[in-house]
Each structure stands twice: as structure tokens, then as C-alpha cells.
């Protein structure tokens, strides 16, 4: 009974994952979703979305002073993105590992950026960098009623 109690007390986090416009244009949506799906995380939100400039600026507000900021905003608003919310124990850090380093040439093979991209400015996917930012970004990109709470049939086969 004790191990069960400990397992149920493990912190479930949420992360915001986004296929950027280059990932959509290059037909990588299915491939990218499938990496998180196969790992065993739970999808709680999913939509194709044309991002307005104001939202892109709010999402990346911490980078406002960077020289690449205007180019980054142009890039993110240049075509539809796929917005996703994923949930699970350790999902924020694990998703960052699955995504790989910001610079795809430095990202390890086996990671999304390591396998599918060559340049920082076209690195195909976004993932939140902390549980706090996960919550903040899901709140920014999704409206109430767009997220689903559900129990995947595979749940008992993923965690003891
Ligand atoms: N970026 C860029 N040039 C840089 C650094 C970052 O174009 O020199 C872009 C890139 O798309 C990156 C995003 O800005 O994914 C956010 O930067 P951050 O450092 O937060 O990287 P991430 O968390 O996405 O790995
Ligand atoms: Mg970041």
C-alpha cells in the first residue's frame, strides 16, 4: 500500500509543446507528436493555429531585448503552428530532452532537433523550460474548454 501512496504523490506537471511553422510546412507534425505519444505522456490539448503577433511577443517576452527577437516573431507568425499541452510526471524536463539543444547542430541524434533540423532559427519545435512556464504558456495558448481531462487506457501499463 505504501509504494502506491508514494507513486500517487509524485508531482504531475504540464508542458506546452508547439510544432513551429517550419515543422508544419515540412510535414513533420505527425512525427513530432508521435515522439511524445510513444514516450507515454498524456496529450490534453491539441490545435492547428495561426498565431497573432501579440501572442508571439507575449510568449517570448523574456527574449525581447535579443537581436534575433524580430526575426523570431516573424518566424513564429509566418504560418500555422500546432499547439499542444502534455501532462505527466517529469514531463517538462523529459520533453526538453526529447527536443534536444536549441541549436540543432549541437542537439544529439535521437532528439527531435538533432534528427530533423539544422539551424537555431528553424528548430521545428518549442517546449516549456520549467513547470511554471508550462502552466503559463498553456494558459496563453489555450482557452478554457480547449483542454481535455481523460484517462488513457494505457495508464496502468505505464506506471506501477
Ligand atoms: N533563437 C534564435 N536565435 C538564437 C537563439 C534562439 O532564433 O540565437 C530562437 C529559436 O527559435 C529558439 C527560440 O528563439 O528556439 C527561443 O530561444 P530559447 O533560448 O528559449 O531556446 P529554446 O528554449 O527554444 O531551446
Ligand atoms: Mg526557451
Amino acid at each position: 500500500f505504501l509504494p502506491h501512496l508514494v507513486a500517487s504523490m509524485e508531482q504531475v506537471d504540464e508542458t506546452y509543446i508547439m510544432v513551429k511553422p517550419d515543422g508544419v510546412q515540412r510535414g513533420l507534425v505527425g512525427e513530432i507528436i508521435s515522439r511524445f505519444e510513444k514516450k507515454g505522456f498524456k496529450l490534453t490539448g491539441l490545435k492547428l493555429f495561426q498565431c497573432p503577433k501579440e501572442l508571439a511577443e507575449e510568449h517570448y517576452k523574456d527574449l525581447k531585448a535579443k537581436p534575433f527577437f524580430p526575426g523570431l516573431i516573424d518566424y513564429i507568425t509566418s504560418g500555422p503552428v500546432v499547439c499542444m499541452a502534455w501532462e505527466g510526471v517529469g514531463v517538462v524536463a523529459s520533453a526538453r530532452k526529447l527536443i534536444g539543444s536549441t541549436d540543432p547542430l549541437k542537439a544529439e541524434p535521437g532528439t527531435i532537433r538533432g534528427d530533423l533540423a539544422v539551424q537555431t532559427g528553424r528548430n521545428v519545435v518549442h517546449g516549456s523550460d520549467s513547470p511554471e512556464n508550462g502552466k503559463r504558456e498553456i494558459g496563453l495558448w489555450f482557452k478554457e474548454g480547449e483542454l481535455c481531462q481523460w484517462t488513457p487506457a494505457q495508464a496502468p501499463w505505464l506506471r506501477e
Side-chain angles (χ1 to χ4, degrees):
F1 124 93
L2 201 56
H4 244 90
L5 201 64
V6 171
S8 69
M9 275 159 44
E10 279 180 278
Q11 174 74 39
V12 175
D13 289 320
E14 303 171 280
T15 192
Y16 176 65
I17 302 293
M18 176 168 69
V19 182
K20 294 177 177 181
D22 50 335
V24 176
Q25 297 289 349
R26 293 176 54 209
L28 298 174
V29 172
E31 165 82 33
I32 291 171
I33 293 178
S34 122
R35 304 259 177 143
F36 300 98
E37 210 177 24
K38 286 179 195 158
K39 174 71 175 168
F41 293 121
K42 178 166 80 175
L43 185 64
T44 57
L46 174 68
K47 66 179 178 187
L48 185 70
F49 182 63
Q50 175 62 56
C51 172
K53 195 172 180 215
E54 303 71 46
L55 177 56
E57 287 173 346
E58 179 62 25
H59 173 81
Y60 282 123
K61 66 178 179 190
D62 291 350
L63 301 173
K64 206 156 198 162
K66 303 280 185 190
F68 59 82
F69 186 77
L72 174 59
I73 299 308
D74 286 347
Y75 163 46
I76 294 301
T77 58
S78 65
V81 294
V82 172
C83 311
M84 289 176 271
W86 290 89
E87 195 180 282
V89 175
V91 70
V92 174
S94 177
R96 295 278 292 186
K97 277 192 193 160
L98 291 172
I99 287 170
S101 301
T102 306
D103 179 351
L105 290 185
K106 295 192 178 126
E108 294 294 328
T111 65
I112 296 169
R113 287 168 175 166
D115 288 348
L116 304 175
V118 292
Q119 203 191 39
T120 301
R122 296 290 183 269
N123 61 5
V124 302
V125 65
H126 166 83
S128 308
D129 61 9
S130 67
E132 297 68 41
N133 275 333
K135 284 199 198 320
R136 178 184 88 88
E137 292 169 5
I138 289 169
L140 268 181
W141 290 85
F142 286 98
K143 293 191 196 110
E144 222 171 284
E146 288 183 328
L147 300 171
C148 282
Q149 273 317 325
W150 60 296
T151 304
Q154 61 173 339
W157 301 99
L158 282 161
R159 302 183 62 81
E160 50 178 5

